[in-house]
Amino acid sequence: MSIEKALIIGGGIAGPVAALALQRAGIESTVFEAYESAATDAGAMLTVAPNGLAALSIIGADKLVQSAGHPLHSMVMETGKGKQLMRVDALPGLPPSCTMLRADLFRVLHDHALANGITIEHGKRLVDIEQTATGVMARFADGTTAEGDILIGADGIHSTVRTLIDPQAPGPEYTGLMSFGFGEFTPDGRLSDGGKGDIEAMHFAFGKRAFYGYWRQPDGKHVFFSNYPQAEPMTLAEARAVPAEQWLDKLRAAHLGDTPGERLFAETSVDEMIVTGPMERMPHVPNWFRGRVVLLGDAVHAPSSSSGQGASLAIESAIELARCLRDIADPAAAFAAYERLRRPRVEEISDNAAKTNNGKTSGPIAKTLFGLIMPIATRTFLQPEKMFGPVHRFVIDWDQPVV
């Protein structure tokens, strides 16, 4: 019997994309979102890479996403003193990555799904799942239920569906870094762009005590962030309970001596600070599915933000899952094919990002050695095409049958 209706838990990024891809595959779905509105996170910025834009083109959302963000044509790696270590431009033949607020990506995908007839129900927090031989029932905290042929858990890194599939499933790992963002900040004069107003480049700097990044928006305002090393993990709620002035004092102390970091953090205010909380990643999850229930996106393969691929991988996986469900009638077989397609790629990218996090939390001696080695490595094997080609040039062939 073919799959006709899917229940999708989570209305962030992967959920609406999966619903739109399933619609194209001829499968009806409803998205259930725990929060009362689409834009539940007005904080951190993210990047949709060329591979993510390519996947979005399959559901007609790539241009919408690009229009809501800013193109990123180059990435500059530098020391805390502003000395350039390497510059990586967008790969030839590919569109530039797109930077945007997470909330804006949520809004674009939510609105695009609604415009295409996808049903999204808000205020639906999942509490339990019941499976039978022919279907699955979802139970929500408000006492309501929903039934479908399959259930897709796209409910984020702190997924409820993951623990319902496997109570022993691992949870997210803390990377040793707390993340803070600052936006709509216009300092006097220019930063380390030589007075050219380089709006195409995002700068990443290995500061003395903390890793940070900054870039200039087309409107002249600067956005920047800090990955602040902290041994003891905190939840987002715990981090936001700390007075903002205390966090800003710590960040200013951490970036003393950095160029232009010291000035950035000295001239900003708590009103411009966003506490985005602990940087986390998902370790390898043993069970991606059970019976008629499967995990998608951050619920099963969230890399740390160092990868720049979290959103793009979630989008890719949503498209690939829809292909598998289109071509394979048996849910378990379709889920197994989906896992085979996705696990090697997402785990390799996540593991590489974890190594980057180790560099961000290393001590001053390691950072000095990194600064000495990076220019040599750049000239030898760390060429842009080798570094990013396999990730950024990945394209899903929607018309290719899954066997």
Side-chain angles (χ1 to χ4, degrees):
M1 184 176 68
S2 63
I3 299 165
E4 297 180 355
K5 183 175 182 179
L7 309 179
I8 302 175
I9 309 301
I13 297 173
V17 173
L20 288 159
L22 287 171
Q23 182 185 66
R24 183 169 177 183
I27 299 172
E28 177 190 353
S29 66
T30 299
V31 178
F32 299 92
E33 169 56 47
Y35 292 98
E36 297 293 341
S37 64
T40 61
D41 181 1
M45 295 194 74
L46 52 72
T47 300
V48 181
N51 51 297
L53 293 171
L56 285 172
S57 70
I58 294 172
I59 58 168
D62 54 326
K63 297 295 189 279
L64 296 172
V65 168
Q66 287 174 308
S67 66
H70 301 297
L72 172 62
H73 293 275
S74 302
M75 293 186 296
V76 177
M77 303 295 294
E78 58 192 36
T79 67
K81 290 292 188 181
K83 179 184 177 182
Q84 182 172 311
L85 298 170
M86 62 184 295
R87 183 184 182 108
V88 180
D89 296 324
L91 298 180
L94 294 180
S97 295
C98 180
T99 64
M100 60 197 310
L101 285 172
R102 180 179 294 273
D104 288 340
L105 181 58
F106 283 4
R107 173 183 51 80
V108 169
L109 295 176
H110 177 273
D111 292 352
H112 187 52
L114 291 180
N116 283 273
I118 301 298
T119 300
I120 301 178
E121 297 190 21
H122 292 277
K124 297 293 182 180
R125 187 170 296 279
L126 184 74
V127 294
D128 201 8
I129 296 170
E130 293 182 18
Q131 294 197 61
T132 68
T134 58
V136 60
M137 175 186 288
R139 294 187 181 278
F140 301 101
D142 63 2
T144 60
T145 62
E147 296 184 29
D149 298 315
I150 60 170
L151 185 144
I152 299 170
D155 51 342
I157 195 168
H158 297 282
S159 170
T160 297
V161 178
R162 185 175 63 240
T163 58
L164 293 174
I165 286 179
D166 178 8
Q168 304 304 315
E173 291 179 345
Y174 175 55
T175 64
L177 298 164
M178 298 292 290
S179 186
F180 302 85
F182 298 81
E184 298 188 350
F185 172 69
T186 308
D188 296 328
R190 299 298 185 197
L191 299 179
S192 63
D193 56 15
K196 300 175 183 178
D198 187 359
I199 64 173
E200 297 185 341
M202 183 181 293
H203 296 253
F204 298 94
F206 290 87
K208 282 186 176 182
R209 302 170 189 85
F211 182 86
Y212 68 102
Y214 60 96
W215 62 103
R216 179 175 170 268
Q217 303 284 19
D219 60 5
K221 297 176 181 178
H222 283 89
V223 175
F224 56 103
F225 70 87
S226 176
N227 295 157
Y228 178 74
Q230 178 169 287
E232 294 299 321
M234 301 176 74
T235 65
L236 176 58
E238 289 170 339
R240 288 181 173 172
V242 175
E245 292 81 3
Q246 289 187 23
W247 282 126
L248 187 53
D249 286 344
K250 289 183 178 182
L251 293 173
R252 285 171 172 166
H255 290 286
L256 283 176
D258 291 340
T259 304
E262 179 175 345
R263 183 181 173 197
L264 282 171
F265 291 93
E267 296 188 11
T268 192
S269 69
V270 293
D271 294 335
E272 295 157 331
M273 183 172 70
I274 303 168
V275 181
T276 53
M279 285 181 60
E280 297 175 311
R281 67 180 289 264
M282 279 304 300
H284 298 179
V285 176
N287 300 307
W288 281 37
F289 65 93
R290 179 171 65 85
R292 292 175 172 269
V293 181
V294 66
L295 296 171
L296 175 64
D298 282 358
V300 68
H301 59 60
S304 75
S305 57
S306 297
S307 70
Q309 279 288 320
S312 296
L313 292 181
I315 293 164
E316 286 181 3
S317 289
I319 301 293
E320 292 282 45
L321 177 59
R323 284 182 63 230
C324 293
L325 292 168
R326 176 195 65 189
D327 296 339
I328 303 173
D330 176 66
F335 296 159
Y338 154 71
E339 181 179 350
R340 286 196 301 272
L341 284 172
R342 297 303 296 160
R343 185 186 281 271
R345 174 171 169 80
V346 299
E347 290 186 350
E348 180 181 10
I349 292 172
S350 181
D351 291 347
N352 287 337
K355 296 174 185 176
T356 301
N357 289 335
N358 290 337
K360 291 180 179 180
T361 57
S362 61
I365 295 177
K367 285 187 172 65
T368 300
L369 291 173
F370 183 88
L372 293 172
I373 294 171
M374 177 62 82
I376 300 172
T378 303
R379 291 194 299 270
T380 54
F381 63 90
L382 287 182
Q383 299 302 317
E385 189 64 47
K386 293 182 179 180
M387 291 175 67
F388 300 108
V391 176
H392 286 190
R393 294 192 185 278
F394 182 84
V395 176
I396 298 169
D397 186 351
W398 174 260
D399 297 323
Q400 178 69 29
V402 177
V403 296

